[in-house]
Structure formats: C-alpha cells, structure tokens
Amino acid sequence: MLHPLIYLSALSLLAGAQGLQIFHVSSQLNISSCPITFYGQTYNQIYVNFTNDAFAICLNGFYDPQSRGDCIVGPPLLKDSGIFQIVPSNTLDEAFVNQHLPSIKTKLQCIPVVDVYHSNIAARFVLLNHGTQSALYFYSSMQESLVYDVQVDGNTVDKLNITQPSQQYWTIIDSSGCRHSGVLYRPGTVVNSPETCLNLTCNQTAALSFNECGPLEHCKGNGVCTLESTTTCTLTGPTVIDFNGQVNSVQDRCVHSLMSTPSLPDFLILGNFQERSRKDVSFLDSVTLRLNGSGVLIHLEQGGRVRLDDTTLTLNSSTQLVHSVELSKDQTGVIAKVSLSNYTTSVFFDGYTAQISLTGPGLPSQLSGLCANSISSSSELRFSNYSSSGCEMQYSDTADSTINCTWATEFCELMSEEPFTACIIHTSPQPYVTACTNTLCKYPAVDGLSCQFLKAYSRACNLQNNETVGDWWTKAGCSHPQAFCQDRTCSPHEFCGQKMDSGETRCFCRALFASEYTSTNTLGGPTVCSQDSASLSLVGCLLEDKGIDYSTLHLNDQTCRGHMDQQTHMVTFSFNNSNTCGAVVTTNNSQIIYKNAITNQNSSDIIQRHDQVYIDFSCVETQPDIKTMSFSIKDSSVIQHITSGAWSYSLTMNVYNDAERTQAVDPSTAVQLDQRIWVELKTDGLDDSLVVVVTDSCWATSEPSPNGSLRYDLIINGCANPTDQTVKVEGNGLGTSNYFTFNMFQFTGKSGDIYLHCKLQLCVKENNDCVPVCNGVVRGRRSVRPKYQDEALAFISMAWTN
C-alpha cells in the first residue's frame, strides 16, 4: 500500500483542494489561506529557489547563503520547476502524524504541498499546519541518500534525512517551537532567570507565555524590575535609535527636537542635521541645549568646540559649571550633564555621534522629540526658527559605485559577536546593526564612519549596564575610540573628513555649497568692485579638492598673495589704485576697468610640470577658470625612411609610459603634466657591427616647424640639457637604437600642441668611440673624434595635442 503522504497528489483533485500552481526559479507562493508556524514564527508566504548550488524553500525571503533565513536547504535539483498546491486536512489520516510524532498535540488544519523533481524522479515537501505547531514531511523515490538542512535564522536546527539503502523513502520531523527576542525555545522549555528577570514557558503545544521587565524598566539581577534606570538615545550619521530601540533616519537638513517634556519645561535638546559629501544623506552636525529658564543656548559642535550663545568656551577633563550645566571634554568627546526635577540628563557628542542618557524613575510623561519616538513626523519636530531656509528639500544623488553593501552587512554584524555578546542580554545590538547597515549601504565608509556605529553600541552598553566592552576595535580594524577631528574647526559650509591618500584630516566642502560652484566650473564668487579697487575670493576647500596650495597663488605681481580668512577659509585676492599688483587699469566711457589674474605661473619659467592656475578677473567680467592639462600623442609612432649615400634604413620614434618600454603611449592615452615618459629612437636596416646611432639633439617647439621661435632643448650635443634634471639619455652611441626620458611639460601661457624634434647621426664604429662625452665624463676610452656620417643625417618629429 502506498504511503499516506505520497498519495496526496491524487487527492488534490478532490473537492476542497486548491488548484495546482506551477512555479519556477525564485517563485513566491502564497500560503495565507494555510499559514505555517515554523518554530514559533508564523508565515504567509514561501519562497522557492533553484540555484546551481542548492534547492531551497524559505519562509522569510528568497534564499541567500549570506542571510540568516528560515529555510529548508539541500542539494540542487536538475529541473527548475515544480507544482504547488494546498490540500485540506481531511485528505490525510492524522493518525499517521500522531504515530510518528507524538509530540504533535494540536489538530491538523491544512497542508501546503511542494512537488519538485530530481533526475526525473519526484521529490515532495509537505508542510503540516497544526495551528501553533507544525511538522515537515519529505519524500523522494530516488535510489540515493538525500539530506536537507532545516534552518532557523541561518542556523541548522534539524535535518530531513533519507538514507539509502534503507528502503525508506521518507522522513518526518516536528518543526514546532517558540521564539522570544530572536531566541528559539523547544516545546516544553521553562526559563526562570533572576539575572535577566525573564520567566518564560514554551508549553507542549508551542504556546509561548513570558514575563520580563518592561521597556522602561531595568532588571536589578535578582528577579526584580525597577523603573529607576538609565535609558539611552543614540544619534549617529543620519540615524536615530530612540529610547525604545526604534530606528529611523533623518532625511532633511534641518534642526529637530531631540527631547522635550512638559515635566521638564526649562530644558530642550535640539539636533542640527547637515549634508556632507552627498546631498541625499544628512548627518548630525551639532547638538544644542536650550535652557528656557536662563534663556541661554549651549552648542556642542564639530571638533569638540562648545559655544555659550556666541562665545567659545575652553574646556578640559575637569567639570565646569555653566548655567547649571556640567561641561567637560576629553579625547573621546564632550559631555554636558544637567539635573532637573527627578531626572539627570547627560548629552555626549564627539562630532559624529550624540548619545542622550536619561536617568530617573522611568521616562518622563508626555516625552516628545526624535529620542522619544524616532518614527514621528519630522515636520512636527522641526524647529524652523533655528533651521536654514529650504532645509526640508530632499535630493537624490547618483548611487556610489564604491559602496560594497555585502561588506557593510558583514561588518555591522560584528556587533552581534564577541566581544559584544556581554551587552546583548540588556542592550540589543539589532537597532545598531540596522542603523549601521542602512547608512553604509548608501554612504561610503569614509572618515571612520563605519567604526562610529560600533563605538556607539559599545558606549550604549556601558551606559545601560555599566558593561565595558573589551578591545573590539582591533577585530573590526578600527582605531582606538577617540573624538574625530578633535580641535579642528571648519566653517559652516565645510565638514571635517579624512584625506584618502594620507588619512590626515582636513575641511571638505559640503555638497550643496560646492554644487553652487562646480555646476559653473568656478572656484569662487564674482569680483567685488569698489570705486578704485577690485577683489576676488576663492573657496579654500575647493582649492584643496583640486590639489592647489593657495599659498602658491599670486596676482600678476608675484608679491601680491591671497589672504585666507581663518573662520570662513575663503582666500581673497585684492588690489587698488595705490598698489595695482600688476593690474592693467583702463577706462571705457568713463568707466574704470581693473584687470588682473590669479595664477601660480612665474614669468621666468619656460616650461611647467604642474597644473596651471590662471583666473583672470575684472570689475566688468569674471571668468574664473582652472586648467588641468593632459596631452595625447597624435600618432602612436612616427617612422621615417632614410635613404642617403651608402646608408638606407628606417627610423622609428615610439613613446612609452614605463621604464621597461612595454606600455606604448597611443592616441587614446592621456599624458599628464609632470608625468615621466620614455622616448625610443630605433632604426631598422643598419648593420650594428659597422655603425651606431647617435642622437645629436632633441628639442620641443610650440609649432610644427623645428625652427619655431619658442624652443626648449632636451638633448644638446648628444647630452641631456644640464638645466633640466628630469632629462636622462640612455644608450646613446652604443647601438642602432637609444632612448631618453623626461617629465612632460607645456609652454607657459600656451595651451596648444607641443612638437618634439630629434636629429640623429650615424657613427662608424671602426677606430671610433661613438659615445658622447657629457659633463666632462668619458664613458669609454676616446682616441680620436668620432667620425659621423653627415651624409646620412636623419631628422624626425612627433606632436602632442592637449
């Protein structure tokens, strides 16, 4: 007689059975009419995956080996389709389940069935809905062993195992259980923990009951819950983890209420959010304490700066009392502590993260602000009178291709592992993991941002239960916890960050501020003119973005330098009629026109190996501009065929960007200013036992003619130009080819093409040392002057265009 559960396919045609559904790769199947309680978690959908590595049926999303899912996972199937149906309970003899699983106490209600194929032989997965309980049945007619892992949160808790040659083609397991705070409990489990104040029972029918401290209570470790506790709200990056552990992100760049309550009418905490390098991600930028009774504002800002209204305070590790607020500062950040009524409020801020801790008999009544409920409407908590105009406008930037969300997820999960496990019992890591993952999957992990979340969780753990987390930073690859950009002050349109190349900190332009200039390709504002003078201000952080040292810039008169404002970091260049700084002053219809230029060029320089800055400005027209020069070679190589007298050969000029001369520069290759290049002069058709080639001279002109008026020599009389230390000549006069190298340049004040010309001669080796003497050094014994074959002179040219 056939096994009762094998027989279900025929029963699906009976009255009461739902219609057959064919499914394919990554199919989502609806079981809401027969939901399954899988180890204490009830699901209304199942997700079927066919991959090259596995076949999986999951209940909380499609299978991903990296995720922590509730799944049945096993060997891959050869077909990528199957049949799904839900059949009523009366199609199965319930005595079969009771016989093999006496632990199942509840009544069978309905049966989702999944039929798939392996080597053209049917395999069947049956989910038995017993209300609060459930069972899994697996059948295969294959003549081989099959094992499927049954996973909860990615951990294998049981197996569906068919072992051959036992001649048993099916297996059935109990998938009942209870879950509480992410922990799985088997039926019949009883927990009584005075340390955590948790009393929990998962009875024989997998019904859960428990008692524990409320969200506003604290377990004293003896089974007693008390309302006298410390509750912490954490704000880091754009995210807010409120007093109740809820997570949300602030989307705008406004000032919001973080905490206020009618029971503390004289106290309000505000958070100011600003963008950094992306317009669509906001960061907590500063925290303000407003004391209504005294009418003062205390601002906790980046770099550890604290202001009382408009006055900057000098703080250290010793506590200072300022308007009843205890203020202190150390290498980790700034702390402001205030006691009002029955509560003590502590505010910590390190430039990235703020943590507000409230100690007292539970939370005050009618508490409001993002820390009370982070998912509150942001518009209701926005303080417009402290916010900038248009701060509520939201943007959508292009996704950053450097972001690795898989890495970010794995990194953030470190908070669920050692050494943080001591915190989990009283401070759940999940809100911090969620905040960390959501942020790092949208914003690059720069400026130590990733480590801020781990630091915040570690500190929250200490605040909640005085638990000190050990050396977590070594495992995470973070630096020892300390305030970021401590004592570095940036202007309001800047934020402090790390340089990618050196790790040093500097002030970067905020994205919205920078976009005003980058959209028009400018580095500063318009010219400011008065009756007899003119000035132009450039943005310091934009100059740094371009790699320009403002101290190297000057006006036409090189003694006229820019002045940087130490608060705004704007660099201003100015001149007037008493000191024109080389400006050209003209009149036009009674209008005085002052014309000058900001540059890093020196009039005595013929060539230049760094980006040129040339920004001309006047009172009537301003066109700030910066030129980043690169050069493309016009031809991959230049070949000249030489026929003269006794010599007939070809001469090739090739350019490379590596010393081994394996990477040829072609027309698509951009050659940057000050980039080193190698030029090879190679002949074909000469007998190297008789003659060698000597490069007599090479020079550059700004026009095609080798006789152009503007000329720069690279090789003179077979030797490198002694005034240019970048020029090196190798192999000259030693064979039928040689090469030289130099750093790329351009003619000062010119942005056009550059033409390279070389003149070569042949030297008969017999009784001659053909190697030129350079700087008085003879490379070989030289008995007589080399005999050059003047009748075989060769000339070759090559051009660059920028």
Side-chain angles (χ1 to χ4, degrees), residues 507-572:
C507 294
F508 290 85
C509 292
R510 296 191 188 276
L512 278 174
F513 173 82
S515 64
E516 299 176 10
Y517 301 95
T518 56
S519 62
T520 57
N521 194 31
T522 58
L523 292 173
T527 305
V528 177
C529 301
S530 62
Q531 183 176 357
D532 56 1
S533 65
S535 66
L536 179 64
S537 294
L538 304 181
V539 181
C541 53
L542 288 179
L543 292 175
E544 284 204 68
D545 287 347
K546 295 285 189 179
I548 300 171
D549 182 355
Y550 84 92
S551 66
T552 65
L553 303 178
H554 52 78
L555 296 180
N556 289 342
D557 183 341
Q558 297 181 27
T559 64
C560 295
R561 304 276 171 166
H563 169 73
M564 174 175 281
D565 187 290
Q566 294 305 308
Q567 291 186 344
T568 65
H569 297 166
M570 299 292 287
V571 182
T572 301

Side-chain angles (χ1 to χ4, degrees), residues 161-181:
N161 190 352
I162 297 178
T163 304
Q164 299 299 345
S166 67
Q167 301 303 312
Q168 178 169 314
Y169 299 98
W170 61 273
T171 183
I172 187 169
I173 65 171
D174 186 349
S175 55
S176 305
C178 305
R179 289 195 227 184
H180 177 68
S181 297

Side-chain angles (χ1 to χ4, degrees), residues 686-711:
L686 291 175
D687 187 345
D688 59 5
S689 65
L690 298 177
V691 296
V692 296
V693 174
V694 178
T695 300
D696 179 74
S697 57
C698 288
W699 65 99
T701 62
S702 61
E703 54 189 77
S705 172
N707 300 317
S709 59
L710 189 58
R711 168 175 173 149

Side-chain angles (χ1 to χ4, degrees), residues 377-415:
S377 171
S378 60
S379 60
E380 297 176 0
L381 301 176
R382 187 182 300 136
F383 271 64
S384 300
N385 53 330
Y386 291 114
S387 302
S388 59
S389 176
C391 67
E392 68 282 354
M393 183 178 296
Q394 297 186 20
Y395 298 85
S396 179
D397 287 354
T398 303
D400 191 329
S401 60
T402 66
I403 294 175
N404 186 337
C405 195
T406 300
W407 171 88
T409 302
E410 294 174 353
F411 179 86
C412 297
E413 284 290 346
L414 291 176
M415 288 181 277

Side-chain angles (χ1 to χ4, degrees), residues 650-671:
S650 64
L651 171 63
T652 304
M653 178 187 287
N654 289 310
V655 181
Y656 302 89
N657 57 20
D658 65 320
E660 291 74 22
R661 303 188 303 287
T662 61
Q663 300 176 17
V665 175
D666 58 38
S668 65
T669 306
V671 180

Side-chain angles (χ1 to χ4, degrees), residues 438-460:
N438 290 348
T439 301
L440 295 183
C441 283
K442 190 173 183 180
Y443 194 92
V446 296
D447 305 332
L449 174 61
S450 55
C451 298
Q452 287 292 324
F453 292 95
L454 278 65
K455 176 184 175 184
Y457 181 52
S458 171
R459 195 171 188 279

